Amino acid sequence: MDSTLFIVIYILGGIAIGYVVSTFLVKKSRQKVISEAESQAEIIVKEAKLNADSIKKDRIHEAKEKYLKLKSEFEDESNRKKNQIINNENKVKQREKDVSKQIEQYKRKEAELESQKENLEAQMQIVKQRKSDLEKARQEQTKALEKISGLSAEEAITQLKETLKDEARSKASSHIKDIIDEAKLTATKEAKKIVIQTIQRTATEHAIENCVSIFNIESDDIKGKIIGREGRNIRALESATGVEIIVDDTPEAIIISGFDPVRREVARLSLHRLVSDGRIHPARIEEIVSKTTKNIEEEIVEIGERTVIDLGIHGLHPELIKMVGRMRFRSSYGQNLLQHSREVAKLCATLASELGLNAKLAKRAGLLHDIGKVWPEEPEQPHAILGMELAKKYKEHPDVCNAIGAHHDEIEMTAMISPLIQTCDAISGSRPGARREIMESYIKRLKDLENLALNFDGVHKCYAIQAGRELRVLVDSENVSDQEANDLAFNISAKIESDMQYPGQIKVTVIREMRAVGYAK
């Protein structure tokens, strides 16, 4: 019993000692973990503070660099604008100096003219005095001659007239006989010339033309599609074709305005295809205009081939055939150039047959006589001379070349068909109407306006619209910046003012369009 109690007490004491020891060990282990965690937390906090300081310094450094960069860019931009303003002020001052110099020159010229006027009046007085002295001397000589001859001045004049009449009759009779003899030898040739000259005396000018085409639509709802959101479709169409599209209150009609018939036809056909297709947006517009332009080129060749076949002209060079097709879209003082040339060719063949000349050569020359008007490069020489050079280049008959070059008397006529071409050209233009040169000079002014802008660097396309009151210039966005576009508009305006004559004012619009293209594969 005592041993059992002792064992129980021993066990209970062991348990108590174990509990105390285990509690102490657990507490000590927990304190160790806590101290380690606290030390790690202190390390992490220190590292975080170091990283935060480093990041803060980097951000401050980056902010300073960005500030300095923006400041530098702002100063550069300010200096550039300041330099531009200074340059513009210098230009204005230079213009004022030029104007002042011109005014001074005009004043000097005016003074010189006044001085010359006074000298001229003095010289006129001297001339009048000398004339009066000469008249007195003549009267005195006449009186002296009358006294010597015993005849008055009127009687002497009458006798002299009678003597001269007799001599003139004698010489005229001899001369008429010689002319008649010569005429008998060359009767056929002279008769041909007389017939041609007679026709030439009866020819007059004619014709009118306009610069618009009408595109009919089924309903006015289509006008909204053609205009597009904020006008983007109509702007894309005008930029691609170079014409002005006028959408107004005219029912079921759209007006296409432009001085170039080919551009108007391209715009008309493109509108027709777009309306038929129903898909109208800038990308589709450019695609349709490109296809239509190619189709027009093919149609030009077909028109030329059909024309030469209808007229029975063979062996014509392909380039000349293409130029004949271009005549379909060109007007000469209001007449369609192709119809005019066909008519001249037929008239030349008929008259050549009547006069016993080569009808085939005459017809060929009649068709080609205005070929110089459709040469696209617009050289600085008359269209007759250019047409003659083109005919020589493509190895046409020398008589044909001479007839083309001489139909406006730019060169001497050496072939018998040459006056024939001139005559038939006038006959074709002699139908009732009012043939004016105003239209030709107007078109030439618009072409000169476009060519002037195309001579500037970076200009991609150029269109004169609104009867020459606006010039739209399309530039390459890769080569021309926004600022350079502003400078280009100013330079083109200054060039137009200095080099051209025009009514009113011309608005120069420079369009710089940026396009980004990507492909998904």
Side-chain angles (χ1 to χ4, degrees), residues 293-332:
T293 303
K294 292 180 181 178
N295 292 339
I296 288 291
E297 291 294 329
E298 294 173 358
E299 183 182 355
I300 284 172
V301 176
E302 292 177 2
I303 291 171
E305 292 175 348
R306 190 163 57 247
T307 300
V308 296
I309 290 172
D310 290 345
L311 294 175
I313 297 174
H314 305 287
L316 204 62
H317 193 279
E319 283 298 322
L320 291 178
I321 292 176
K322 190 175 181 180
M323 291 181 193
V324 171
R326 283 200 192 116
M327 292 181 181
R328 166 65 178 77
F329 301 100
R330 177 73 159 80
S331 296
S332 176

Side-chain angles (χ1 to χ4, degrees), residues 490-506:
F490 175 80
N491 293 333
I492 291 175
S493 301
K495 185 72 171 175
I496 292 172
E497 289 178 2
S498 62
D499 292 0
M500 295 192 67
Q501 294 182 352
Y502 52 91
Q505 64 180 12
I506 296 176

